[in-house]
Amino acid sequence: MRKRRRVIPAGGRRAGAAATALILGGAGVLLGMSAGSAQAAEVSYATHCVPPAGIDPVDGTTKVEITAPATAHVGDTVDVVWKFTQAASKNPNIIDLPANSVQPSGTLKAGGAQTAAIAMLGPRVNPAIPKGGAMTLSDMKGTLKLTTAGEVTLTPDAYTVNAFGTDTKCAPTVTVPTSATIDVTAGGGSSSSTSPTPSDSTSASASASESASESASESASSSPSDSVSASASDGTGQSDFTGKEVSVPYACKTPLGDKSATSPVQINAKKDGGSYDLTVQFNGSVMDSPADIPANSVSPSMEVVLGGADTGTVHVEGPTNSAAIKSGDPIQIPDLTGTYKPGASGTSTLAPGVLTVKALGTTTTCTPTKSEVSLTLDTTEQASGASGSTSSSSTSTSGGLAETGSNSHGGLKALGLVSGTAILLGVGVFTFLPGRRRLR
């Protein structure tokens, strides 16, 4: 008798294969969740974030996953990971944040059988983040040495987002639910882990404070007096005229609020026919960059204020940075140059005026709060000269500015740390260190 063969429909075969895969997958899951395996659960909580000065606080929602071992023994040192699935605040509509410029740090609370504050730190690794874009933060890691048997709970707490030397501090405004639990049993553990290194922003802050202190000391011993500026007459055929270095107090309007700073500036001139080629130097000033800055992204300019016989302003400007600037490298203010064509005969004075710096799509402007004459010239009126107006295409400024130094509504542009005052220049915080390095 012929034996009948059972025919299984194709759909049945597929179902059987799927069931087999599911069983195998289930076995894998069970194996994966055995003692000591990692666990992760997302929690969501309302958060209040305080950005740097000049930017409004933000209330948002933080979403976090905490990964930690499900079981461990007393004496074990376990690794924990904090993963941001959503940060509470976005990048403000001020500047684009380049890749690898943002670093998170925070505190994870251990509770239950053992209480502790676990320091968490993530690397400065991120994709480029546009203005107004969602903050993409790296995973933070930390370690906890287990000391007591029982259930140890892990709960996210406050965290800080550091970018360009500035901090945005975020803290929960509600009770945050537990994100992970470790079942700790008695027994000798032997695992160990190296604690994360302190945030580089902390060491940078300490270094900046030291530099500021040193700068203030140097400035106090070497700053020029407020005596009458150096003058030179061109009646004898002299062609080169060296101005006096003057300390200019600036009131600055920056993307992150109003700041103030004082910088040493010197104006020199070289006679060319009836006109003068001007060079404005920032002597002894250095700006340190807290992040990588692309080439051709920083552009400085100034309006030199005329006084005495002449009135108006002369526009001078410097070249953009020709090469990329690495984080921590000094940013030197280049010489600002322009041409002064006298609009009056007599003794004319030249003083540093409004300073403007454009960087990565932002503009900061600094206005002198006091006029400081750097150079005095004996001038002869030239056709279409400066008197009463600007001697270039820059915006006209009234002659009264030479006496008051405060009639311009332009904002301030320098970014730095002068005697402890931080000034933000669009992309971040540079360090203004008078006396640390001379450009000449």
Side-chain angles (χ1 to χ4, degrees):
M1 183 176 180
R2 191 174 183 181
K3 189 175 181 179
R4 297 178 61 186
R5 190 171 69 179
R6 184 181 176 190
V7 178
I8 301 175
R13 286 196 297 270
R14 285 195 295 270
T20 301
L22 183 58
I23 291 170
L24 292 175
V29 169
L30 289 174
L31 289 173
M33 290 302 291
S34 61
S37 63
Q39 54 171 326
E42 182 183 89
V43 295
S44 175
Y45 55 96
T47 311
H48 181 71
C49 296
V50 181
I55 303 178
D56 292 336
V58 175
D59 289 293
T61 300
T62 299
K63 295 181 180 180
V64 170
E65 285 183 0
I66 302 298
T67 301
T71 61
H73 300 287
V74 172
D76 286 348
T77 297
V78 296
D79 294 320
V80 291
V81 178
W82 172 322
K83 179 182 179 63
F84 287 95
T85 56
Q86 177 180 301
S89 63
K90 294 184 177 181
N91 180 22
N93 288 306
I94 298 176
I95 59 170
D96 296 332
L97 294 174
N100 305 329
S101 63
V102 180
Q103 181 181 41
S105 60
T107 301
L108 183 65
K109 286 184 175 180
Q114 176 183 345
T115 59
I118 307 169
M120 307 294 291
L121 179 67
R124 198 175 291 277
V125 175
N126 61 277
I129 304 173
K131 302 181 187 73
M135 294 295 286
T136 303
L137 305 176
S138 63
D139 293 352
M140 300 192 298
K141 296 181 179 181
T143 60
L144 172 65
K145 184 174 179 64
L146 301 171
T147 60
T148 309
E151 286 192 344
V152 175
T153 60
L154 300 175
T155 305
D157 196 32
Y159 61 92
T160 298
V161 179
N162 178 273
F164 296 122
T166 65
D167 288 335
T168 295
K169 297 182 180 295
C170 300
T173 55
V174 296
T175 300
V176 182
T178 295
S179 179
T181 300
I182 305 174
D183 185 8
V184 183
T185 57
S190 59
S191 62
S192 63
S193 177
T194 303
S195 299
T197 56
S199 167
D200 58 6
S201 62
T202 302
S203 58
S205 296
S207 174
S209 296
E210 264 182 38
S211 298
S213 213
E214 178 185 345
S215 299
S217 174
E218 290 179 5
S219 295
S221 62
S222 62
S223 59
S225 63
D226 293 328
S227 58
V228 179
S229 66
S231 63
S233 170
D234 55 10
T236 60
Q238 181 179 355
S239 60
D240 293 316
F241 304 90
T242 302
K244 174 190 173 182
E245 180 182 291
V246 292
S247 293
V248 182
Y250 281 112
C252 302
K253 292 190 177 297
T254 80
L256 298 182
D258 295 347
K259 305 293 179 181
S260 62
T262 299
S263 180
V265 183
Q266 181 174 322
I267 301 174
N268 301 322
K270 183 178 181 65
K271 199 167 189 302
D272 182 10
S275 299
Y276 296 86
D277 294 328
L278 300 184
T279 300
V280 178
Q281 299 174 344
F282 285 78
N283 296 330
S285 295
V286 173
M287 289 194 259
D288 289 339
S289 173
D292 293 345
I293 297 178
N296 303 314
S297 59
V298 179
S299 176
S301 63
M302 175 186 282
E303 307 307 315
V304 175
V305 179
L306 304 174
D310 213 346
T311 57
T313 62
V314 179
H315 181 75
V316 293
E317 60 185 38
T320 58
N321 53 310
S322 59
I325 304 170
K326 294 293 185 182
S327 175
D329 287 351
I331 301 178
Q332 297 181 349
I333 301 177
D335 288 350
L336 310 181
T337 59
T339 301
Y340 166 42
K341 181 183 289 188
S345 297
T347 301
S348 300
T349 61
L350 291 82
V354 175
L355 171 68
T356 302
V357 178
K358 296 182 179 180
L360 298 179
T362 68
T363 299
T364 300
T365 55
C366 296
T367 302
T369 58
K370 178 182 178 183
S371 181
E372 296 286 354
V373 173
S374 174
L375 181 64
T376 301
L377 298 170
D378 289 339
T379 57
T380 301
E381 180 179 354
Q382 304 294 309
S384 302
S387 190
S389 64
T390 60
S391 59
S392 72
S393 59
S394 59
T395 305
S396 176
T397 306
S398 70
L401 181 58
E403 285 71 46
T404 66
S406 60
N407 287 353
S408 170
H409 296 293
L412 189 25
K413 246 185 196 176
L415 170 59
L417 189 63
V418 182
S419 299
T421 302
I423 298 177
L424 299 176
L425 170 66
V427 295
V429 180
F430 299 113
T431 309
F432 231 166
L433 301 177
R436 174 175 158 187
R437 178 181 299 179
R438 287 196 167 271
L439 301 183
R440 288 287 176 275

